[in-house]
Amino acid sequence: MTRLSRLNTPLLGPWFHLARYKTTAAQLSEPFSERLFVRNPATGEIISSIEPPASDAVDAAIKSAHRVYESGVWSTASPLSRSNVLSKLAQLLEDRVPELARIETLQTGRVIREMNAQIGRLPEWLRYYAALLRTHQGFIAPTQGKLLNYVNRVPLGVVTQITPFNHPLLIAVKKLAPALAAGNSVLVKPSELAPLSLLEFSELASAAGLPDGVFTVLPGLGHTTGTQLASHPLVRKVDITKQAFVQAGTQTGRSIGAMVGSNLAAFTAELGGKAPVIVFNDADLISAVNGVAFASFIASGQTCVSGARILIQDKVYDSFMNAFLDKVRNIAQRIGNPLNPVSSMGTVISEHHLGRIHRMVSSCNSGRVLVGGHRMSGTSPLDDFDLSRGCFYHPTVIEDVDIKGEVWEEEIFGPVVVVKKFVGEAEGVTLANMSKYGLGAGIWTTNLSRAHRVADSIQAGLVWINTHHRNDPSSPWGGMKDSGIGRENGIEALEACRWNAFDSSAALNTRHLDSQSKSVIVNTATAEESQMQDDWFGDIENDKRYG
């Protein structure tokens, strides 16, 4: 694969790829701009330095990707050939899970247990789209007269993907698998804060047999490299996730969408969320407490579907809160070295981001902080790790904030939740929908009718019932309202990476132009099974599914 960067990684050990990443023949002799430093958020140490490509090298990479697409070496390869390469890549990735998980922990500060569980599932995405290539079919349009109108789908061309820091490899693979399966040439700009795992993954793609130039990694800054990739006229689709731009908001997504639209290219954007989790009086209390803790504090709250607004019905409020606060305090007591396999929760991504979180919490003019609300310092009770060196923020719960306040309305993207009591079902749904975002939501109830009734009423692209953050390559993933446009996962994602053979513009890229998918995921396990299997922050000696 093509990697437009030079990489130096003195602290990662001999198992990390230390060779200079090769460049395309079209690059200039001095293509590199100012060096980027990748830091371990748990220690502040620089673990890698990267010299990203300059503007002319980015332009050359896009043109090279277009030439490779035009050559047909991948774009016109048989579905069986592409399927075989993706299947081999899945196996190579599976073999390297422990190493890649370690890289993810070092560059993000997330605990190794999370990364082993998350990356261990990534081969599923590659295998899913490899299988779709072998089974998915075109269709015959029912035209009138003596005409045969068959419709095939063909690749778009050059696809640009801009991926975030919170799930560096997961989100990249989710986007890459359908784009490569469709036959496109793909350029990926990873977050400048966490590019290392994707650079390593590109080595595996090459070893799997992906032709050179089909997949290019371009580590650089969002406002330079990212903007250039999004605005280039040869790019036929742009796919972004909000946290790819460290300062990003929905307005950034709109601005990028305007650039993409001016080139009549396709656009997919996941722009964050402020997920409500509704706990009804009849919910299984133990399962709900465990599930809300997972929703709120997995990945230190740095997920777009993090349970950020916890809505608890009146009769169960006190008992839920007592158990939940005990759980939060227990999580805090078990925060230590992220590489410790029994550490409960890691850092946030950077000092800058930690400062933003604390500013939002400390400037809140309503409500009451029940636990947390501060940076962690001193040594860990778990393993004597010096928490003062890293970007550790105490898991935080704030009660009864103003629904017009910043901490209710804006995505904090950290281990901070707000809780509020409600009385009737209608009030709970109203509070849940009282947000400009509509990505994910959770419902906890044992009443079957209520579960489906409330799920229908929630304005979100993903609704979990008696679970949270479940993810599968077959399940569409995307939001409503200001949470973005388009879908990852499933057949929808593959179709969005190809044209119908008769299409004349990217605007015709989606079959269902007048609707959007809503994915409702129902946990059908018994309460006893859920209590045993889904308590992520409980007995961490036992294996539990993440995502």
Side-chain angles (χ1 to χ4, degrees):
M1 295 305 92
T2 308
R3 305 144 194 99
L4 298 190
S5 66
R6 294 193 185 102
L7 179 67
N8 181 33
T9 56
L11 298 179
L12 291 181
W15 47 269
F16 195 85
H17 178 71
L18 294 174
R20 177 193 293 184
Y21 288 102
K22 62 187 178 182
T23 63
T24 64
Q27 278 187 257
L28 302 177
S29 59
E30 296 294 334
F32 298 103
S33 58
E34 185 177 355
R35 186 182 299 266
L36 300 175
F37 295 100
V38 181
R39 295 181 182 273
N40 181 348
T43 64
E45 294 177 303
I46 296 173
I47 57 173
S48 177
S49 61
I50 295 176
E51 295 179 80
S55 175
D56 46 7
V58 174
D59 183 68
I62 297 169
K63 291 176 179 176
S64 176
H66 181 68
R67 286 196 298 272
V68 170
Y69 168 74
E70 291 281 302
S71 76
V73 64
W74 182 252
S75 59
T76 63
S78 70
L80 179 61
S81 296
R82 296 202 297 268
S83 176
N84 287 338
V85 171
L86 292 179
S87 296
K88 185 175 181 180
L89 179 55
Q91 186 60 54
L92 293 174
L93 174 58
E94 192 166 76
D95 294 342
R96 292 281 300 280
V97 165
E99 296 172 33
L100 290 168
R102 180 177 169 86
I103 295 172
E104 292 279 69
T105 289
L106 288 171
Q107 69 181 353
T108 67
R110 291 180 57 187
V111 292
I112 190 69
R113 179 169 169 260
E114 287 180 6
M115 302 322 301
N116 277 324
Q118 185 177 91
I119 294 179
R121 293 200 60 213
L122 296 193
E124 297 176 28
W125 269 260
L126 296 163
R127 290 179 175 130
Y128 173 79
Y129 285 102
L132 276 188
L133 283 174
R134 293 172 177 263
T135 58
H136 204 47
Q137 301 172 347
F139 66 94
I140 303 294
T143 52
Q144 299 182 38
K146 294 184 177 181
L147 297 171
L148 173 65
N149 182 181
Y150 61 88
V151 181
N152 295 322
R153 294 189 69 85
V154 297
L156 298 175
V158 177
V159 173
T160 288
Q161 298 172 346
I162 304 175
T163 60
F165 65 76
N166 56 327
H167 307 291
L169 200 52
L170 167 66
I171 292 178
V173 170
K174 282 172 64 179
K175 295 177 185 296
L176 274 166
L180 291 174
N184 298 292
S185 294
V186 185
L187 302 111
V188 182
K189 192 210 83 66
S191 167
E192 59 270 24
L193 300 177
L196 304 180
S197 54
L198 190 57
L199 288 166
E200 283 299 296
F201 177 78
S202 68
E203 292 287 313
L204 302 183
S206 182
L210 201 63
D212 198 37
V214 171
F215 169 35
T216 303
V217 180
L218 292 156
L221 298 174
H223 69 273
T224 54
T225 304
T227 298
Q228 187 175 358
L229 288 169
S231 59
H232 200 286
L234 287 179
V235 171
R236 302 315 308 145
K237 181 181 179 182
V238 175
D239 186 345
I240 71 168
T241 297
K242 173 180 175 179
Q243 276 66 37
F245 297 84
V246 180
Q247 302 291 337
T250 303
Q251 186 54 48
T252 303
R254 288 193 177 102
S255 298
I256 295 171
M259 295 180 204
V260 176
S262 68
N263 291 324
L264 295 180
F267 185 49
T268 297
E270 198 258 75
L271 299 175
K274 191 74 174 179
V277 180
I278 311 176
V279 180
F280 287 97
N281 288 331
D282 64 347
D284 179 74
L285 183 64
I286 296 173
S287 297
V289 168
N290 294 341
V292 172
F294 175 81
S296 303
F297 301 118
I298 195 73
S300 302
Q302 296 171 116
T303 78
C304 295
V305 294
S306 178
R309 296 179 296 132
I310 314 305
L311 310 174
I312 308 155
Q313 200 163 16
D314 55 348
K315 293 179 182 178
V316 77
Y317 186 88
D318 289 340
S319 54
F320 177 92
M321 287 302 297
N322 288 335
F324 182 58
L325 291 174
D326 283 346
K327 191 84 170 178
V328 174
R329 294 186 185 102
N330 184 261
I331 292 170
Q333 285 293 308
R334 294 184 292 117
I335 293 175
N337 186 341
L339 288 170
N340 184 338
V342 297
S343 184
S344 60
M345 192 183 85
T347 70
V348 297
I349 190 64
S350 68
E351 287 285 346
H352 177 82
H353 189 55
L354 186 145
R356 177 184 176 273
I357 292 169
H358 188 60
R359 179 198 64 75
M360 292 181 74
V361 172
S362 60
S363 63
C364 181
N365 294 321
S366 65
R368 183 166 63 103
V369 176
L370 301 179
V371 65
H374 58 83
R375 181 179 191 147
M376 300 188 75
S377 59
T379 57
S380 164
L382 177 72
D383 55 14
D384 293 327
F385 187 78
D386 186 0
L387 301 175
S388 304
R389 298 171 60 199
C391 303
F392 294 92
Y393 200 78
H394 196 292
T396 298
V397 180
I398 310 175
E399 183 181 47
D400 203 26
V401 300
D402 183 351
I403 58 175
K404 295 189 180 299
E406 183 183 37
V407 297
W408 174 276
E409 292 186 332
E410 298 299 333
E411 190 173 28
I412 298 176
F413 218 67
V416 179
V417 301
V418 297
V419 296
K420 187 171 284 290
K421 183 189 299 185
F422 71 94
V423 178
E425 178 182 311
E427 181 187 6
V429 170
T430 298
L431 286 169
N433 288 333
M434 201 172 288
S435 174
K436 62 185 176 182
Y437 293 110
L439 182 56
I443 301 166
W444 291 86
T445 180
T446 56
N447 184 311
L448 180 64
S449 297
R450 176 187 289 125
H452 292 290
R453 184 171 64 246
V454 173
D456 282 345
S457 300
I458 295 293
Q459 298 165 0
L462 296 147
V463 180
W464 291 279
I465 298 174
N466 295 329
T467 188
H468 202 90
H469 206 166
R470 296 305 198 189
N471 192 8
D472 190 89
S474 65
S475 179
W477 180 285
M480 299 178 180
K481 302 194 285 190
D482 280 7
S483 283
I485 185 171
R487 295 292 183 265
E488 296 174 345
N489 293 350
I491 295 173
E492 283 186 71
L494 180 63
E495 299 291 77
C497 290
R498 304 189 291 191
W499 309 93
N500 283 331
F502 56 78
D503 285 350
S504 60
S505 82
L508 301 176
N509 184 31
T510 304
R511 184 177 297 172
H512 305 292
L513 292 176
D514 297 316
S515 64
Q516 56 186 335
S517 63
K518 180 174 182 175
S519 190
V520 178
I521 302 95
V522 183
N523 179 14
T524 60
T526 65
E528 291 76 18
E529 288 175 314
S530 293
Q531 291 171 19
M532 288 286 294
Q533 299 172 5
D534 296 340
D535 184 8
W536 178 267
F537 290 113
D539 180 4
I540 57 180
E541 297 297 327
N542 295 332
D543 290 335
K544 298 179 180 69
R545 170 174 163 164
Y546 170 30

